[in-house]
Amino acid sequence: MLDFPILSLLTFLPLLGAAFILTIRGEPEMVARNAKYVALYTSLFVLALAGYMLKNFDGSSGDFQFVEKVTWFPSLGISYHMGIDGISVFFVALSAFLTPICILASWDSIKKRVKEYMVAFMVLETFMIGTFCALDTVLFYIFFEAVLIPMFLIIGIWGGPRRVYAAFKFFLYTLLGSVLMLAALLALYFHAGSTDIPTLIASPVARNLQFWLFIAFFASFAVKMPMWPVHTWLPDAHVEAPTAGSVILAGVLLKMGGYGFLRFSIPMLPEAAEYFAPMIYWMSIAAIIITSLIALVQEDMKKLIAYSSVAHMGFVTLGIFTLTAQGVQGGLFQMISHGVISGALFLCVGVVYDRLHTREISRYGGIVKNMPIYATVFMLFMLGSVGLPGTSGFVGEFLVLLGAYRVDPVVAFFAATGVVLGAAYMLMLYRRVVFGPAVHQDAGEMQDLNWKELVNFVPLVALVLWLGILPGVVLDKTAASVNKLISQYEAGLVVTTPVDEPPRDAVQEPVE
Amino acid sequence: MELVAVFAPLVGFLIAFLFGKQIGPRGAQFVTCTGMILAAVMSCALFYSVILQNDPRVLHLATWIAAGDFEVQWALRIDQLTVIMMCVINIVSACVHVYSVGYMSHDPARARFMAYLSLFTFAMLMLVTANNMVQLFFGWEGVGLASYLLIGFWSHKPSANAAAVKAFVVNRVGDFGLLMAIFTTFVVFGTVQFDAIFTMAPDKTVDTFNFFGFEIHALTLICLMLFVGAVGKSAQLGLHTWLPDAMEGPTPVSALIHAATMVTAGVFLITRFSPLFEYAPFAREIVCIVGAMTALVAATIGLTQFDIKRVIAYSTMSQLGYMFFALGVSAYSAAMFHLMTHAFFKALLFLGAGSVIHAMSNEQDMRRMGGIWKYIPTTYVLMWVGSLALAGVPFFAGFYSKDLILEAAFASGSWFGQMAFWMGIAAALMTAFYSWRLILLTFHGKPRASAETMAHVHESPNVMLIPLAVLAAGAIMAGSMFYGAFANSATSPGHTQDIKHVGDMVSIWDKDYFFGDSIKVLPENDSVVAAHHVPKWVKLLPILAGALGIGFAFVVYMFREGMADKIVRAFKPLHTLFYNKWYFDELYNFLFVKPCFVIGKLFWKGDKNVIDGLGPDGVSKLSRGIAGRLGVFQTGYMFHYAFVMMIGLIGLVSWFIYRTMGS
């Protein structure tokens, strides 16, 4: 345990950085430059702090650590309660890791309103880290929803031509989800008389209520994931977002759904989780197969990767709801790995987009000749996305499928077809962009990565390989919390269900 | 020693790949070749200490994946079976590395080429040294990756890229089967460690596993899933379509990956799992039937092709078929024997073909060759050696292994063994025929190439010929030298089980069986031992078939001009079928590839029209009517929307606080 409030520091330091950036005055160029440097140094400091947190995190315990608790609204029992366990720790680290990369990626490509852009990113980092640290539902909800605001701004101001449509779509989807989640959180509060997440986890909810609450949470998290068929906002949002926006969107924002399932749906509503699990399996399989097939026919690089994200998130939901140690660990690992790999893939798209200003696959081709380093880096992330053993992508997919196979071999069988389809669409993308004869002269003459871009890719490359070869760095720290989650879930089933009553009867009252 | 033998290629790859620019192509060639030769020497040393001194071992390196009750390690399992594979891989790979220095001497990216070759070798070594199924899968996918990279090495050629993607994706279908096998094994055995699985296997013979609602014999299910993996990697009938296309890669790649090593990984896989296959007779039956059909079908296609490399590719596929039907009748050591001899003579044939292509200024079509034997005599002789070994002419390597397989199939006494025997004999006849068709079309007759090409025909440099000579030595001697070791079995007398003390040596000269416990054969299934007691005619028939095929080829292509065309005309429908490779590609395109794209487009439209139409777009259309009147609020600026949302949020929270404070 540390003697200073590390989580609050992690959360609010970027906000401080943002405030500092706002005070910068002077020549526009000077302001832009200083804003970039402040943002970069702040985020690097946060990253270092996150590393320190990771080092001090005790992986052998499944309890919340670095806990801070201050009463906020005493009359309501609402408190400022922060803490992390093995489930959230790597999301905090991931947010801290991707933010400086995003700032570096925007260094030269963002030309207008640089100051505001950096402020938006700093605020975004605060909200992201806050979401994963909050242990009070009110606090959580504020962070969870507030994340959307800087994201809206990033897409809406610095985005592509159809940014209003994309943001509107995103808005409609998430609005529905967040309203329902708010209702669920209120219901939980009235039921248990507390907004404290550990207290809520410990207090069982009546079976009937569980189902309604589950559906409400599900609406919100499924949109965030996104699960098929509520995924259609994602390709549009990705396409219109600037590169760094896509990186954060795919890297961290999508993980909030999965995190929500693990933090709320499963430990608080175990019976409903058990009841709805088969439905979620088939929705996940639909996501994996259908969006993979859709990815196969895309002509837009970003859209293709966006659809592949939906497929990969299908593995996550599948793994989480197998409720086996392998499945949940795999789902968690897949989220972290996907955060790195898909973020990196969007960066790869960003590199060629900056040079040619088009995302159309057929405008590229034969670029390996002039850009060998880029081709190598892109290849590695492409293979990670395909799930080649030795990259981080494999470990997550493998564990998820293993967990699923234990629960239902048929489910795993269909989900595993994603392995074949994933290879097909990623290899086709790579082949059309990188290989082949250079049909378009401008594409063939693009310059290879400059040192700034290369520096940005190096940590991502290292992480993909490191996690692929020695995944223990993550799995060892998540194991205790995942085991605790599963035992909570199993205990939850026992508390409210009499042993001999078949579980399905409770919700559908037999009509006689 | 073990570490050097496995990791030297990795080090070579890393140096040549990361610092290829700094050290230049010369440096890259030097580093990778040195690494490979070192690894080859070390594997020979391992041959001595593990096989001859009978000292198999396992080396633990690190934990890989651990989650719940599932755990796998990075480890090197060095037993007899592994060492045989390591020797084959490292020796052939070292030859190919050195050969590539000459073959690729004009390629600007030769440093990268050498790096990929080393990467492949490392992945293959990880595959054979695996001590659990997941590390095996690591190597399995790793060789797939290297194969993908090397097939598509000339990335400016669209056909090479298409072939590379095809190879990877078709292999993934096989990998899917292997993945399922891993999962099933874990559920049935609770572990994926080899030792634990093999020890428990005899107790699991009555277990069943529920799959798609059927109660299936668990071991049979696992074995069939493993076999799906093997079919993909080893290009057996059904998932073979990638192999001929893979010939788009540079010829040394074809020799190393698509003849000697990677494609035999399936044979290795099944041999490794012999303790399971022994208890799954139905699975072995399927293996045998698919193998026999592959041997025959591939041979028929090989008869009609004109691309020199494709002929050899189909011959590889056919020979792999032999190995598989040997596995199907429990003749694991015979399959391994053929794997070894085949690695030598097929690599020799491919590299020889490469030498021809090199001499003919990159011409691969045999219709534009001919009459060049005088100009490249060394290559010519070496091609003869390879073909003699392939056709199973006595005292060359292929003779011993192929005959052993055919005899074992016959001796197994099962109907499918008998069937495989006769199909194997037919395939042997065709093999001999197309081998000499290749030699005669390529080297003899009138020159059919342009005068310009003919003027440039030249013998390859020594750096290419010396590796060929090494392989040729293997193709001549590997058979007679190791016959005893492979043709005995654990149940016959004079094997390693009798050697109790360390320091006692297994003597291959005394024809001792040296596999120890690494291959398991139940006494009642032991067709290798039974093979020694087959009738005389069974032993003679393959030789006869080979001689007939060779003779026939001489008649058709040397002595009677125009006879080939007459035969083609006489068997027009059959020839069309063979020439078009039994239309597998067309069938798969129609059944799988096209539908995937059509369905993908359909679902994409569905996303746009159905989901969005009912969802956000529909709602927006609906609200536009209302919004039209409230147009003031629709500013189009995102931060306005966001601001409104923030207000809404604050409103909700304050309502919530107000409510609860009031109550």
Side-chain angles (χ1 to χ4, degrees):
Chain A
M1 281 295 126
L2 304 169
D3 48 5
F4 64 96
I6 190 167
L7 296 183
S8 293
L9 265 178
L10 274 172
T11 307
F12 293 107
L13 259 179
L15 206 59
L16 198 72
F20 192 73
I21 294 172
L22 282 175
T23 63
I24 300 174
R25 293 276 182 275
E27 294 281 309
E29 272 178 35
M30 204 59 181
V31 172
R33 222 177 69 110
N34 288 339
K36 283 186 212 169
Y37 274 106
V38 171
L40 181 64
Y41 289 138
T42 312
S43 61
L44 282 178
F45 186 71
V46 171
L47 176 61
L49 206 60
Y52 185 68
M53 169 204 77
L54 213 54
K55 190 172 157 282
N56 281 283
F57 183 83
D58 178 12
S60 60
S61 153
D63 297 328
F64 289 105
Q65 302 181 27
F66 312 118
V67 175
E68 301 160 26
K69 194 168 184 180
V70 182
T71 311
W72 195 5
F73 297 104
S75 55
L76 299 168
I78 299 173
S79 53
Y80 174 80
H81 191 179
M82 304 277 263
I84 49 172
D85 63 356
I87 289 167
S88 50
V89 62
F90 283 101
F91 293 117
V92 175
L94 188 66
S95 312
F97 175 72
L98 286 177
T99 305
I101 286 177
C102 285
I103 288 167
L104 272 179
S106 318
W107 206 261
D108 296 323
S109 58
I110 297 296
K111 301 249 172 6
K112 62 168 189 180
R113 297 194 187 207
V114 177
K115 183 172 135 185
E116 287 80 359
Y117 184 84
M118 293 299 158
V119 169
F121 257 92
M122 290 289 96
V123 173
L124 184 61
E125 186 174 16
T126 288
F127 292 154
M128 289 189 303
I129 294 180
T131 307
F132 295 121
C133 292
L135 284 185
D136 186 278
T137 52
V138 175
L139 199 60
F140 171 82
Y141 188 74
I142 291 172
F143 282 130
F144 188 84
E145 293 299 320
V147 162
L148 302 178
I149 297 166
M151 199 65 225
F152 274 145
L153 299 179
I154 289 166
I155 297 177
I157 298 175
W158 294 276
R162 294 181 73 225
R163 55 188 183 234
V164 175
Y165 172 76
F168 186 46
K169 209 166 174 181
F170 184 27
F171 179 79
L172 268 175
Y173 267 119
T174 40
L175 184 75
L176 177 79
S178 54
V179 166
L180 288 173
M181 182 169 79
L182 183 63
L185 288 175
L186 284 173
L188 271 176
Y189 173 67
F190 290 125
H191 181 268
S194 171
T195 58
D196 193 47
I197 290 176
T199 315
L200 289 175
I201 291 174
S203 44
V205 179
R207 193 178 164 85
N208 262 334
L209 187 58
Q210 280 198 17
F211 291 98
W212 292 110
L213 294 182
F214 190 92
I215 290 168
F217 276 124
F218 184 74
S220 178
F221 299 145
V223 167
K224 266 276 156 68
M225 283 299 294
M227 290 178 78
W228 187 87
V230 288
H231 64 281
T232 58
W233 63 270
L234 186 73
D236 284 310
H238 268 313
V239 165
E240 300 307 325
T243 300
S246 289
V247 172
I248 285 291
L249 187 59
V252 182
L253 261 57
L254 300 190
K255 276 72 201 174
M256 290 182 174
Y259 173 70
F261 282 131
L262 289 170
R263 185 62 83 223
F264 294 92
S265 304
I266 290 169
M268 293 182 194
L269 314 165
E271 284 180 77
E274 189 200 31
Y275 179 78
F276 284 110
M279 180 190 87
I280 292 173
Y281 295 159
W282 290 102
M283 281 174 75
S284 306
I285 290 171
I288 292 168
I289 295 178
I290 292 175
T291 53
S292 293
L293 287 172
I294 296 175
L296 210 53
V297 297
Q298 292 306 306
E299 290 297 328
D300 179 311
M301 291 164 86
K302 267 190 158 180
K303 263 201 176 150
L304 193 151
I305 298 171
Y307 274 111
S308 87
S309 283
V310 182
H312 283 124
M313 288 296 113
F315 280 105
V316 174
T317 43
L318 175 61
I320 288 175
F321 281 93
T322 61
L323 295 159
T324 57
Q326 287 85 21
V328 178
Q329 287 259 60
L332 257 176
F333 197 93
Q334 171 85 344
M335 280 197 269
I336 293 152
S337 149
H338 176 262
V340 177
I341 292 174
S342 72
L345 282 173
F346 280 117
L347 279 181
C348 285
V349 175
V351 166
V352 287
Y353 183 80
D354 285 347
R355 286 161 174 68
L356 220 56
H357 299 287
T358 175
R359 295 179 313 264
E360 211 178 313
I361 297 173
S362 54
R363 280 286 284 111
Y364 293 92
I367 67 177
V368 63
K369 199 155 181 241
N370 248 21
M371 306 179 77
I373 303 175
Y374 173 76
T376 307
V377 170
F378 190 7
M379 164 78 72
L380 183 88
F381 296 123
M382 183 268 286
L383 294 172
S385 174
V386 166
L388 197 85
T391 65
S392 59
F394 170 71
V395 181
E397 264 180 29
F398 179 81
L399 287 175
V400 164
L401 290 172
L402 185 69
Y405 200 85
R406 289 187 117 174
V407 176
D408 188 348
V410 178
V411 166
F413 178 87
F414 283 111
T417 55
V419 170
V420 181
L421 293 170
Y425 64 72
M426 282 314 286
L427 260 58
M428 298 252 297
L429 168 73
Y430 191 82
R431 172 187 158 197
R432 293 178 62 190
V433 172
V434 177
F435 288 152
V439 182
H440 305 282
Q441 205 188 359
D442 48 354
E445 283 172 355
M446 290 190 297
Q447 290 301 306
D448 207 344
L449 298 181
N450 57 38
W451 67 269
K452 237 182 270 173
E453 290 165 330
L454 192 61
V455 164
N456 221 1
F457 276 119
V458 165
L460 292 162
V461 169
L463 210 57
V464 168
L465 290 176
W466 188 24
L467 294 183
I469 294 166
L470 295 169
V473 277
V474 170
L475 294 175
D476 290 348
K477 298 215 166 184
T478 57
S481 297
V482 168
N483 288 340
K484 192 177 170 193
L485 175 78
I486 290 172
S487 53
Q488 275 165 351
Y489 161 76
E490 278 162 359
L493 291 183
V494 176
V495 168
T496 42
T497 320
V499 184
D500 44 359
E501 185 195 349
R504 298 201 173 206
D505 295 354
V507 71
Q508 292 160 340
E509 298 291 353
V511 188
E512 283 169 79
Chain B
M1 195 155 64
E2 299 87 349
L3 290 176
V4 174
V6 176
F7 289 101
L10 178 67
V11 173
F13 158 70
L14 288 175
I15 296 176
F17 188 69
L18 296 176
F19 307 109
K21 225 174 220 152
Q22 283 80 358
I23 59 176
R26 279 266 147 220
Q29 286 163 350
F30 177 76
V31 168
T32 48
C33 290
T34 312
M36 260 337 294
I37 291 169
L38 205 62
V41 172
M42 284 301 155
S43 8
C44 293
L46 281 174
F47 184 87
Y48 178 82
S49 83
V50 173
I51 291 189
L52 298 188
Q53 293 186 322
N54 191 24
D55 179 25
R57 59 198 95 147
V58 175
L59 210 71
H60 290 279
L61 301 176
T63 301
W64 185 12
I65 305 173
D69 51 355
F70 177 82
E71 188 177 340
V72 290
Q73 310 266 335
W74 291 111
L76 301 181
R77 179 191 179 91
I78 315 280
D79 63 5
Q80 289 91 340
L81 184 60
T82 302
V83 170
I84 291 288
M85 288 302 287
M86 282 174 84
C87 286
V88 170
I89 294 161
N90 280 333
I91 292 171
V92 175
S93 179
C95 289
V96 170
H97 270 74
V98 175
Y99 177 92
S100 303
V101 172
Y103 189 82
M104 302 295 282
S105 59
H106 304 301
D107 198 294
R110 52 194 183 277
R112 195 160 49 91
F113 183 77
M114 301 305 285
Y116 287 168
L117 281 184
S118 283
L119 172 68
F120 166 77
T121 312
F122 168 68
M124 191 73 201
L125 289 169
M126 287 307 274
L127 195 167
V128 297
T129 55
N131 193 32
N132 60 64
M133 295 175 86
V134 187
Q135 189 187 328
L136 187 137
F137 191 71
F138 169 83
W140 194 263
E141 292 268 274
V143 292
L145 164 69
S147 157
Y148 161 78
L149 291 171
L150 285 164
I151 295 169
F153 182 75
W154 285 319
S155 65
H156 53 274
K157 274 167 67 183
S159 58
N161 291 321
V165 174
K166 183 174 174 186
F168 198 89
V169 174
V170 173
N171 263 299
R172 272 258 155 161
V173 178
D175 299 347
F176 173 83
L178 185 53
L179 211 51
M180 289 288 130
I182 297 175
F183 298 150
T184 316
T185 307
F186 183 66
V187 174
V188 172
F189 289 93
T191 175
V192 291
Q193 300 287 336
F194 286 156
D195 286 323
I197 300 170
F198 299 158
T199 328
M200 274 189 269
D203 308 326
K204 299 278 184 188
T205 48
V206 287
D207 284 30
T208 58
F209 188 85
N210 191 308
F211 197 66
F212 279 90
F214 297 101
E215 285 295 328
I216 302 172
H217 183 231
L219 292 182
T220 302
L221 185 68
I222 293 173
C223 288
L224 285 175
M225 286 166 164
L226 285 171
F227 181 56
V228 172
V231 166
K233 197 67 57 191
S234 295
Q236 293 300 287
L237 209 58
L239 294 176
H240 66 281
T241 53
W242 64 272
L243 183 63
D245 289 16
M247 296 302 128
E248 290 289 342
T251 308
V253 175
S254 315
L256 177 62
I257 301 184
H258 307 119
T261 53
M262 184 185 87
V263 287
T264 59
V267 180
F268 167 77
L269 177 75
I270 291 179
T271 311
R272 173 60 87 205
F273 279 88
S274 57
L276 263 56
F277 274 88
E278 279 304 288
Y279 296 103
F282 178 69
R284 274 189 287 118
E285 194 174 321
I286 300 288
V287 172
C288 183
I289 293 168
V290 172
M293 282 167 60
T294 306
L296 191 69
V297 169
T300 59
I301 303 174
L303 291 176
T304 59
Q305 300 299 308
F306 285 108
D307 183 316
I308 183 167
K309 284 179 74 182
R310 288 196 184 224
V311 173
I312 307 179
Y314 279 108
S315 133
T316 303
M317 187 178 148
S318 169
Q319 297 302 309
L320 289 167
Y322 277 94
M323 295 177 213
F324 272 90
F325 75 69
L327 296 170
V329 295
S330 294
Y332 305 103
S333 60
M336 285 304 295
F337 192 24
H338 199 53
L339 186 160
M340 184 180 80
T341 58
H342 174 257
F344 286 112
F345 64 70
K346 194 53 67 69
L348 174 64
L349 279 172
F350 261 121
L351 293 183
S355 185
V356 170
I357 296 165
H358 197 72
M360 300 291 293
S361 316
N362 295 324
E363 179 59 68
Q364 299 195 9
D365 194 326
M366 295 192 294
R367 282 170 293 194
R368 285 193 287 276
M369 293 182 181
I372 54 173
W373 70 272
K374 276 170 289 189
Y375 305 102
I376 46 173
T378 319
T379 305
Y380 176 63
V381 170
L382 291 168
M383 287 295 276
W384 259 89
V385 171
S387 299
L388 286 170
L390 171 62
V393 171
F395 314 117
F396 286 87
F399 161 71
Y400 294 95
S401 52
K402 197 194 250 177
D403 275 20
L404 185 60
I405 286 178
L406 288 169
E407 286 160 22
F410 185 85
S412 73
S414 53
W415 68 267
F416 51 88
Q418 296 284 330
M419 183 196 79
F421 172 76
W422 287 109
M423 285 169 115
I425 293 288
L429 181 86
M430 288 187 249
T431 305
F433 177 78
Y434 66 63
S435 298
W436 264 266
R437 172 177 177 264
L438 185 151
I439 286 191
L440 297 173
L441 277 178
T442 306
F443 293 100
H444 292 269
K446 284 188 208 92
R448 292 180 295 275
S450 66
E452 196 193 347
T453 312
M454 286 307 290
H456 282 112
V457 172
H458 58 281
E459 185 59 277
S460 300
N462 277 338
V463 71
M464 287 165 71
L465 292 179
I466 290 169
L468 285 178
V470 173
L471 292 172
I476 295 170
M477 297 190 308
S480 49
M481 205 163 134
F482 293 105
Y483 178 75
F486 287 91
N488 287 312
S489 86
T491 57
S492 59
H495 56 76
T496 41
Q497 259 86 351
D498 297 338
I499 299 166
K500 296 283 186 280
H501 310 288
V502 180
D504 287 0
M505 299 271 287
V506 177
S507 169
I508 51 168
W509 306 115
D510 288 347
K511 315 274 184 212
D512 280 350
Y513 175 78
F514 57 52
F515 279 100
D517 298 324
S518 59
I519 294 177
K520 178 166 182 173
V521 187
L522 295 180
E524 65 268 28
N525 291 343
D526 201 339
S527 55
V528 174
V529 165
H532 300 310
H533 310 293
V534 292
K536 199 95 194 155
W537 65 269
V538 173
K539 289 180 190 265
L540 289 175
L541 199 56
I543 306 174
L544 196 68
L548 252 173
I550 297 173
F552 194 48
F554 267 100
V555 170
V556 174
Y557 290 100
M558 196 115 176
F559 304 130
R560 293 282 165 90
E561 291 216 4
M563 188 167 164
D565 294 331
K566 261 183 226 154
I567 297 173
V568 167
R569 268 198 298 277
F571 296 98
K572 191 75 196 160
L574 218 52
H575 179 265
T576 314
L577 179 69
F578 295 168
Y579 187 70
N580 290 299
K581 308 155 204 163
W582 295 57
Y583 293 101
F584 270 102
D585 280 322
E586 286 76 6
L587 189 72
Y588 285 172
N589 260 334
F590 176 74
L591 282 182
F592 303 113
V593 181
K594 285 226 175 91
C596 270
F597 281 90
V598 170
I599 294 169
K601 284 219 171 85
L602 214 69
F603 273 120
W604 191 28
K605 289 229 174 75
D607 260 19
K608 273 210 162 60
N609 300 336
V610 181
I611 298 177
D612 282 356
L614 295 176
D617 290 356
V619 175
S620 85
K621 210 174 261 171
L622 205 76
S623 62
R624 207 161 295 156
I626 310 162
R629 265 166 263 164
L630 305 172
V632 243
F633 293 112
Q634 211 168 19
T635 56
Y637 288 107
M638 253 341 285
F639 54 90
H640 287 180
Y641 290 119
F643 189 62
V644 168
M645 172 145 178
M646 192 67 183
I647 291 176
L649 187 73
I650 292 169
L652 275 170
V653 172
S654 18
W655 172 79
F656 161 67
I657 292 170
Y658 170 79
R659 261 294 298 272
T660 43
M661 274 186 166
S663 64

